[in-house]
Amino acid sequence: MTMTAGAPVVHARAPGKINVFLKVGAVMEDGYHDLATAYQAVSLFEEVRATPATDFSVEFSGSIDSSGLATGGTNLAIKAARALARKAGFRGGVHLEIEKNVPIAGGMGGGSADAAATLLACDALWGTTATKDELLAIAATLGADVPFSFTGGTAIGTGRGDQLSPALAKGKFQWVLTLADFGMSTPGVYQELDRHRDRHAQDIFPAQHQPSVDANVLQALRAGDPHMLADVLHNDLQAPALHLAPGLGKVLQLGEENGALAGILSGSGPTVAFLVADADSALELQVALSASRLRVVRATGPVHGARLIND
């Protein structure tokens, strides 16, 4: 905790994510889909600074255009702060300053990272002394990706994606990400997937068995081998997202023509994540894609989850 002009400030950081594997099962009774995913936290971080206040408010800065983001009660970070206050019986509020570096509505869990970092920051600011399990339980009520942003690293997610089990990952994987100038609605992409399945004969998607993560994905992560991982990258949401935004297909093709081992939409898109062999290849691909007037950043994974930062 630091002090600014007499007011304490708590700084927390949480990562965005890439789904290196995502299998979507049937719709469950609560309206969500049964999932099996392999998450990797990557080195694009949301920075949250929390200061005491009488009510709950949030403002944004950073490398991502946040002009369209909600700042009221529907904002996920505000929801996280209010949920912790209710749990702890805390009667004050908080002002949140969030520096955004993860694409908005980009399939990388930026809002989830905001919520995870906010839980950690408010816990420290208010002295609620919540346990990690208590914070994770609150995280799970906020959204499927929030618990993973809290824990970070590499993990398998089942259920809605919020039932996590850690996965071993060796070394660092190098990613090159293209950031779209538009967002995509996650529910909209899932609805397009459902429509696609409804249009096709049931024998193509028989009973939509319980989805699971391919064992070869776990093997590639354990080995730290980008070539092995490139062969097994998979995302059931990619086809419906490409149907809604066909131009993303050209981006995928361009990356693979310029040295990427493989490309995949992150989550529901529209961020495209290219896996490359090493740091030199990442730089070369970044240059090539930038020359095509795409907005490009490099990232590595896995990285740690939400943490307090000493400024």
Side-chain angles (χ1 to χ4, degrees):
M1 186 182 295
T2 59
M3 304 286 286
T4 300
V9 180
V10 175
H11 178 191
R13 169 184 296 160
K17 56 81 183 173
I18 294 170
N19 301 80
V20 299
F21 184 92
L22 177 57
K23 202 81 178 166
V24 180
V27 181
M28 297 184 286
E29 288 183 1
D30 60 6
Y32 288 91
H33 290 74
D34 202 11
L35 302 179
T37 188
Y39 290 112
Q40 185 166 105
V42 294
S43 59
L44 289 185
F45 294 98
E46 300 284 86
E47 311 283 347
V48 175
R49 289 174 174 84
T51 53
T54 55
D55 57 4
F56 294 83
S57 59
V58 62
E59 63 178 299
F60 299 100
S61 62
S63 60
I64 302 295
D65 177 13
S66 56
S67 56
L69 280 181
T71 56
T74 59
N75 180 273
L76 202 55
I78 296 287
K79 286 184 176 181
R82 288 185 185 277
L84 179 61
R86 281 195 303 273
K87 170 76 175 174
F90 180 75
R91 296 186 177 276
V94 67
H95 178 66
L96 303 170
E97 297 177 34
I98 301 181
E99 178 188 321
K100 293 202 68 65
N101 299 296
V102 177
I104 295 167
M108 293 192 67
S112 298
D114 294 343
T118 294
L119 286 174
L120 207 57
C122 288
D123 173 60
L125 181 70
W126 298 336
T128 60
T129 63
T131 65
K132 181 179 179 183
D133 283 346
E134 288 171 336
L135 292 175
L136 277 171
I138 296 172
T141 68
L142 297 166
D145 292 338
V146 182
F148 175 69
S149 189
F150 197 91
T151 58
T154 305
I156 302 306
T158 54
R160 291 192 304 163
D162 56 342
Q163 298 170 25
L164 299 176
S165 54
L168 292 173
K170 180 181 175 184
K172 286 283 185 193
F173 291 89
Q174 301 282 336
W175 298 92
V176 178
L177 310 169
T178 65
L179 311 184
D181 57 4
F182 61 94
M184 294 188 78
S185 159
T186 297
V189 175
Y190 275 98
Q191 288 164 12
E192 180 62 24
L193 174 65
D194 292 337
R195 284 192 293 269
H196 172 75
R197 288 177 169 175
D198 288 344
R199 285 192 297 263
H200 290 76
Q202 282 303 306
D203 59 352
I204 299 178
F205 302 101
Q208 294 187 15
H209 301 295
Q210 182 84 18
S212 61
V213 174
D214 188 332
N216 291 321
V217 175
L218 300 176
Q219 185 180 352
L221 291 168
R222 278 197 303 268
D225 188 328
H227 293 85
M228 285 176 64
L229 186 59
D231 287 341
V232 289
L233 292 178
H234 177 81
N235 181 1
D236 273 357
L237 296 180
Q238 183 159 306
L242 290 176
H243 190 259
L244 293 170
L248 293 174
K250 295 178 182 176
V251 177
L252 282 161
Q253 183 180 352
L254 189 62
E256 291 177 357
E257 287 172 352
N258 282 277
L261 298 176
I264 190 171
L265 252 65
S266 181
S268 55
T271 303
V272 178
F274 292 106
L275 181 60
V276 293
D278 50 40
D280 287 345
S281 302
L283 181 57
E284 289 171 10
L285 181 57
Q286 182 182 24
V287 170
L289 294 174
S290 297
S292 296
R293 299 190 176 182
L294 293 170
R295 187 172 175 212
V296 187
V297 295
R298 281 181 289 153
T300 60
V303 298
H304 60 76
R307 281 190 182 178
L308 295 174
I309 305 297
N310 292 318
D311 288 327

Short mmCIF file of all heavy atoms in Angstrom, two decimals, residues 38-64:
data_model
loop_
_atom_site.label_atom_id
_atom_site.label_comp_id
_atom_site.label_asym_id
_atom_site.label_seq_id
_atom_site.Cartn_x
_atom_site.Cartn_y
_atom_site.Cartn_z
N ALA A 38 -8.46 -25.05 -21.92
CA ALA A 38 -7.12 -24.90 -21.35
C ALA A 38 -6.77 -23.41 -21.43
O ALA A 38 -6.68 -22.84 -22.52
CB ALA A 38 -6.10 -25.73 -22.12
N TYR A 39 -6.66 -22.79 -20.27
CA TYR A 39 -6.33 -21.37 -20.18
C TYR A 39 -4.82 -21.17 -20.06
O TYR A 39 -4.14 -21.94 -19.37
CB TYR A 39 -6.89 -20.78 -18.88
CG TYR A 39 -8.37 -20.61 -18.75
CD1 TYR A 39 -9.08 -21.39 -17.83
CD2 TYR A 39 -9.05 -19.61 -19.43
CE1 TYR A 39 -10.44 -21.18 -17.61
CE2 TYR A 39 -10.41 -19.40 -19.22
CZ TYR A 39 -11.10 -20.19 -18.32
OH TYR A 39 -12.44 -19.99 -18.10
N GLN A 40 -4.32 -20.12 -20.67
CA GLN A 40 -2.96 -19.66 -20.38
C GLN A 40 -3.00 -18.16 -20.12
O GLN A 40 -3.49 -17.39 -20.96
CB GLN A 40 -2.01 -19.96 -21.53
CG GLN A 40 -0.56 -19.60 -21.18
CD GLN A 40 0.46 -20.18 -22.15
OE1 GLN A 40 1.00 -19.49 -22.97
NE2 GLN A 40 0.71 -21.48 -22.03
N ALA A 41 -2.53 -17.75 -18.95
CA ALA A 41 -2.43 -16.33 -18.63
C ALA A 41 -1.23 -15.75 -19.36
O ALA A 41 -0.15 -16.36 -19.38
CB ALA A 41 -2.28 -16.14 -17.13
N VAL A 42 -1.41 -14.58 -19.98
CA VAL A 42 -0.34 -13.98 -20.78
C VAL A 42 -0.02 -12.57 -20.29
O VAL A 42 -0.80 -11.94 -19.57
CB VAL A 42 -0.70 -13.96 -22.28
CG1 VAL A 42 -0.81 -15.38 -22.83
CG2 VAL A 42 -1.98 -13.18 -22.54
N SER A 43 1.13 -12.08 -20.74
CA SER A 43 1.73 -10.86 -20.18
C SER A 43 1.13 -9.56 -20.72
O SER A 43 1.86 -8.62 -21.03
CB SER A 43 3.24 -10.88 -20.40
OG SER A 43 3.53 -10.98 -21.80
N LEU A 44 -0.19 -9.52 -20.83
CA LEU A 44 -0.91 -8.26 -20.97
C LEU A 44 -1.68 -8.09 -19.67
O LEU A 44 -2.53 -8.93 -19.36
CB LEU A 44 -1.88 -8.29 -22.16
CG LEU A 44 -1.30 -8.29 -23.57
CD1 LEU A 44 -2.44 -8.21 -24.59
CD2 LEU A 44 -0.33 -7.14 -23.78
N PHE A 45 -1.38 -7.03 -18.93
CA PHE A 45 -1.92 -6.89 -17.58
C PHE A 45 -2.85 -5.69 -17.45
O PHE A 45 -2.59 -4.63 -18.03
CB PHE A 45 -0.79 -6.74 -16.56
CG PHE A 45 0.09 -7.95 -16.42
CD1 PHE A 45 1.30 -8.04 -17.09
CD2 PHE A 45 -0.30 -9.03 -15.63
CE1 PHE A 45 2.12 -9.15 -16.97
CE2 PHE A 45 0.51 -10.15 -15.50
CZ PHE A 45 1.71 -10.21 -16.16
N GLU A 46 -3.89 -5.88 -16.67
CA GLU A 46 -4.73 -4.78 -16.23
C GLU A 46 -4.19 -4.29 -14.89
O GLU A 46 -3.89 -5.10 -13.99
CB GLU A 46 -6.18 -5.25 -16.05
CG GLU A 46 -6.81 -5.81 -17.33
CD GLU A 46 -7.21 -4.73 -18.31
OE1 GLU A 46 -6.33 -4.32 -19.10
OE2 GLU A 46 -8.38 -4.31 -18.29
N GLU A 47 -4.04 -2.98 -14.75
CA GLU A 47 -3.51 -2.38 -13.52
C GLU A 47 -4.65 -1.66 -12.80
O GLU A 47 -5.31 -0.79 -13.38
CB GLU A 47 -2.40 -1.36 -13.85
CG GLU A 47 -1.33 -1.87 -14.81
CD GLU A 47 -0.32 -2.79 -14.14
OE1 GLU A 47 -0.31 -2.85 -12.90
OE2 GLU A 47 0.45 -3.46 -14.86
N VAL A 48 -4.90 -2.04 -11.57
CA VAL A 48 -5.99 -1.45 -10.79
C VAL A 48 -5.41 -0.78 -9.55
O VAL A 48 -4.67 -1.41 -8.78
CB VAL A 48 -7.02 -2.52 -10.37
CG1 VAL A 48 -8.08 -1.92 -9.46
CG2 VAL A 48 -7.67 -3.14 -11.61
N ARG A 49 -5.76 0.51 -9.37
CA ARG A 49 -5.36 1.25 -8.16
C ARG A 49 -6.62 1.64 -7.41
O ARG A 49 -7.52 2.25 -7.98
CB ARG A 49 -4.52 2.47 -8.52
CG ARG A 49 -3.12 2.07 -9.02
CD ARG A 49 -2.31 3.27 -9.52
NE ARG A 49 -0.95 2.86 -9.84
CZ ARG A 49 -0.57 2.32 -11.01
NH1 ARG A 49 -1.49 2.13 -11.96
NH2 ARG A 49 0.69 1.99 -11.21
N ALA A 50 -6.67 1.27 -6.16
CA ALA A 50 -7.86 1.48 -5.34
C ALA A 50 -7.56 2.48 -4.23
O ALA A 50 -6.54 2.36 -3.53
CB ALA A 50 -8.30 0.14 -4.74
N THR A 51 -8.44 3.47 -4.07
CA THR A 51 -8.32 4.45 -3.00
C THR A 51 -9.65 4.55 -2.26
O THR A 51 -10.72 4.29 -2.83
CB THR A 51 -7.95 5.85 -3.55
OG1 THR A 51 -8.88 6.20 -4.59
CG2 THR A 51 -6.54 5.86 -4.12
N PRO A 52 -9.62 4.93 -0.98
CA PRO A 52 -10.86 4.99 -0.19
C PRO A 52 -11.83 6.02 -0.76
O PRO A 52 -11.43 7.05 -1.30
CB PRO A 52 -10.38 5.42 1.20
CG PRO A 52 -8.92 5.14 1.22
CD PRO A 52 -8.44 5.29 -0.17
N ALA A 53 -13.12 5.74 -0.63
CA ALA A 53 -14.16 6.65 -1.08
C ALA A 53 -15.43 6.32 -0.30
O ALA A 53 -15.53 5.28 0.35
CB ALA A 53 -14.41 6.50 -2.58
N THR A 54 -16.40 7.22 -0.38
CA THR A 54 -17.67 6.97 0.31
C THR A 54 -18.63 6.16 -0.55
O THR A 54 -19.59 5.57 -0.05
CB THR A 54 -18.34 8.30 0.70
OG1 THR A 54 -18.48 9.10 -0.47
CG2 THR A 54 -17.47 9.04 1.71
N ASP A 55 -18.39 6.15 -1.87
CA ASP A 55 -19.22 5.35 -2.76
C ASP A 55 -18.31 4.54 -3.69
O ASP A 55 -17.11 4.45 -3.46
CB ASP A 55 -20.19 6.24 -3.56
CG ASP A 55 -19.45 7.31 -4.36
OD1 ASP A 55 -18.19 7.30 -4.36
OD2 ASP A 55 -20.12 8.13 -5.00
N PHE A 56 -18.88 3.98 -4.77
CA PHE A 56 -18.12 3.12 -5.68
C PHE A 56 -18.02 3.80 -7.05
O PHE A 56 -19.06 4.15 -7.64
CB PHE A 56 -18.80 1.75 -5.82
CG PHE A 56 -18.80 0.96 -4.56
CD1 PHE A 56 -19.78 1.17 -3.58
CD2 PHE A 56 -17.83 0.00 -4.31
CE1 PHE A 56 -19.79 0.44 -2.41
CE2 PHE A 56 -17.83 -0.74 -3.14
CZ PHE A 56 -18.81 -0.51 -2.18
N SER A 57 -16.80 3.99 -7.56
CA SER A 57 -16.62 4.64 -8.85
C SER A 57 -15.38 4.08 -9.54
O SER A 57 -14.50 3.50 -8.90
CB SER A 57 -16.48 6.16 -8.69
OG SER A 57 -15.38 6.48 -7.85
N VAL A 58 -15.34 4.27 -10.86
CA VAL A 58 -14.21 3.75 -11.63
C VAL A 58 -13.90 4.70 -12.77
O VAL A 58 -14.78 5.33 -13.34
CB VAL A 58 -14.52 2.32 -12.17
CG1 VAL A 58 -15.71 2.33 -13.13
CG2 VAL A 58 -13.31 1.71 -12.86
N GLU A 59 -12.60 4.84 -13.08
CA GLU A 59 -12.16 5.58 -14.25
C GLU A 59 -11.07 4.77 -14.95
O GLU A 59 -10.41 3.94 -14.33
CB GLU A 59 -11.65 6.98 -13.89
CG GLU A 59 -10.42 6.99 -12.98
CD GLU A 59 -9.93 8.41 -12.70
OE1 GLU A 59 -9.56 9.08 -13.68
OE2 GLU A 59 -9.91 8.81 -11.52
N PHE A 60 -10.92 5.03 -16.27
CA PHE A 60 -10.03 4.21 -17.07
C PHE A 60 -8.95 5.04 -17.75
O PHE A 60 -9.15 6.22 -18.10
CB PHE A 60 -10.82 3.47 -18.16
CG PHE A 60 -11.86 2.54 -17.61
CD1 PHE A 60 -13.20 2.90 -17.57
CD2 PHE A 60 -11.49 1.29 -17.12
CE1 PHE A 60 -14.15 2.04 -17.05
CE2 PHE A 60 -12.45 0.43 -16.60
CZ PHE A 60 -13.77 0.81 -16.57
N SER A 61 -7.80 4.40 -17.97
CA SER A 61 -6.73 4.95 -18.79
C SER A 61 -6.04 3.77 -19.47
O SER A 61 -6.56 2.65 -19.43
CB SER A 61 -5.73 5.73 -17.92
OG SER A 61 -5.12 4.84 -16.98
N GLY A 62 -4.91 4.01 -20.12
CA GLY A 62 -4.15 2.90 -20.69
C GLY A 62 -4.11 2.89 -22.20
O GLY A 62 -4.59 3.82 -22.86
N SER A 63 -3.54 1.83 -22.75
CA SER A 63 -3.27 1.73 -24.18
C SER A 63 -4.50 1.33 -24.99
O SER A 63 -4.47 1.33 -26.21
CB SER A 63 -2.15 0.70 -24.43
OG SER A 63 -2.54 -0.58 -23.94
N ILE A 64 -5.59 0.96 -24.31
CA ILE A 64 -6.81 0.51 -24.97
C ILE A 64 -7.87 1.60 -24.87
O ILE A 64 -8.06 2.20 -23.80
CB ILE A 64 -7.34 -0.78 -24.31
CG1 ILE A 64 -6.27 -1.89 -24.36
CG2 ILE A 64 -8.63 -1.25 -24.96
CD1 ILE A 64 -5.91 -2.38 -25.72
#
